[in-house]
Amino acid sequence: MRYRTHVVAAAGTLLAAASVVPHASLTDVALAVAGTGPGAAPERDGALPGEPAWPDAPARAAAPAQGPPGAAGATAASPGEGTVSAARLLARTAQCDEVSDGRYRMDDSDDEPTVPVCATAGAVYWKADMDIDCDGKVTRRCNEDTDGSFQDMTAFTRSDGAPLDAAKLPYLVVPDPGDTWDYRSSGIRGGGLAAVVYRGRVEYAVVGDTGPAGLIGEASYATAQALGIPADPAGGGAPKDVTYIFFKDTKARPVESHAAAVSAGDRLARRFVASKK
C-alpha cells in the first residue's frame, strides 16, 4: 500500500457527491446498475431490472502462476472473467483522449510523471504499474506484520459499513482528488464497476480505495492474485502494462459481491467495446 491518511467521514460525502449526475451515453446501463431512475426495479445485489440477484462467485479455473518461482503472494490465475477478451479491451483503450490536467507518476522514485488519465463517453482508463493495496479487514494475508503501511480501513466500505477485505475482494485504487484530476468529476465513485487487464487476462473489480494524489496504479491483494501478479504487499506487484478501466456512474450492489461486479461489469464491457464514443 502507498501511505496516505483516510478521512472516513469525508469519503462518505465524496461517495454521495460522485453519484449525482449520470452520463447520457451509458445512462441506461448506469441507471440499471445503480438501481435509480424512472421505472428502475428495486435494488438487488448486483441484479439488473428483470433479472435475479447474482449467485455467489464461481470457482476460478487454475492457470500457471506468474512471477518468479516462490515469489510471495503469487498464485494460480484465472484465464479471465466474462465474455469480452483482453484484446478487445486493449484495442478500445489504444487511443487516449486525456481528461487529466497533467500526468501521474507510478512511484515516488519516478523522475517524471508519464501516465495520463484517458476517457470515452462511458469510461475512464489508464495504463500503469500495479502496487499492492492490503488495507481494510485484518486477515492472515493483510495486517500490520505483512504490510508495514497497513491501515485497517478503506476509503469505501462494504454495504454494512465495514472495511473491504483486500485479500478476498478484487478492488482498484484511484488517486485522491487533486490538481491533476478529480475522479468524481469523471463519474467515478466508490463501489463503481471496473475491469483490469494484464497479460491477456481480464479481471472485474470495484473502486475500493484511494491513494496519494500524485501517484497512480494500485489494486488489492485479491486483484493481483487473480491476474497472476505476485501479491505480497512488501514486494509484489507488476512494474508496467496493467490497464485499468473504470465504468462511469455505476455501482456494484452489494459492493462486496465479486459476482455482482463480474456480471454487471461484463455487460458494461460489451457496451464499451461496441461504442464509438
Side-chain angles (χ1 to χ4, degrees):
M1 167 211 118
R2 295 170 172 142
Y3 179 77
R4 74 278 189 189
T5 301
H6 287 302
V7 181
V8 177
T13 302
L14 299 185
L15 173 57
S19 62
V20 173
V21 182
H23 286 232
S25 63
L26 278 181
T27 298
D28 55 336
V29 180
L31 294 180
V33 175
T36 60
E43 291 182 1
R44 291 168 293 157
D45 292 353
L48 299 180
E51 297 181 350
W54 308 120
D56 290 338
R60 299 183 184 277
Q66 300 295 317
T75 186
S78 76
E81 295 182 319
T83 61
V84 181
S85 69
R88 293 185 69 194
L89 288 169
L90 292 178
R92 185 68 178 89
T93 57
Q95 303 298 317
C96 179
D97 181 7
E98 293 189 28
V99 293
S100 55
D101 186 14
R103 300 191 173 193
Y104 285 91
R105 288 177 169 83
M106 293 186 287
D107 292 295
D108 285 321
S109 60
D110 291 349
D111 293 331
E112 297 291 337
T114 58
V115 180
V117 176
C118 313
T120 65
V124 170
Y125 54 92
W126 57 77
K127 181 180 285 188
D129 66 341
M130 182 182 285
D131 291 322
I132 308 303
D133 189 338
C134 229
D135 288 348
K137 181 179 179 180
V138 177
T139 64
R140 183 171 64 89
R141 298 291 187 186
C142 294
N143 55 65
E144 292 180 347
D145 293 328
T146 61
D147 181 357
S149 299
F150 177 78
Q151 297 184 55
D152 61 356
M153 62 183 74
T154 47
F156 310 110
T157 63
R158 292 169 45 98
S159 56
D160 61 4
L164 301 178
D165 185 345
K168 292 180 62 177
L169 181 69
Y171 71 69
L172 306 184
V173 179
V174 294
D176 278 326
D179 293 338
T180 303
W181 180 61
D182 185 337
Y183 64 86
R184 301 167 297 179
S185 66
S186 293
I188 307 305
R189 57 175 173 161
L193 294 157
V196 59
V197 183
Y198 181 71
R199 291 189 177 179
R201 296 186 175 93
V202 178
E203 179 72 10
Y204 290 99
V206 295
V207 179
D209 208 355
T210 60
L215 298 176
I216 206 165
E218 189 173 6
S220 70
Y221 185 106
T223 308
Q225 275 198 321
L227 292 168
I229 294 171
D232 177 13
K240 61 180 181 177
D241 295 335
V242 182
T243 299
Y244 302 80
I245 305 168
F246 301 81
F247 301 111
K248 296 179 180 180
D249 299 301
T250 60
K251 187 172 182 178
R253 296 186 184 276
V255 65
E256 63 268 20
S257 171
H258 183 56
V262 173
S263 299
D266 188 54
R267 285 166 167 76
L268 290 162
R270 293 201 301 269
R271 298 271 184 122
F272 176 61
V273 297
S275 174
K276 302 301 181 183
K277 298 181 180 180

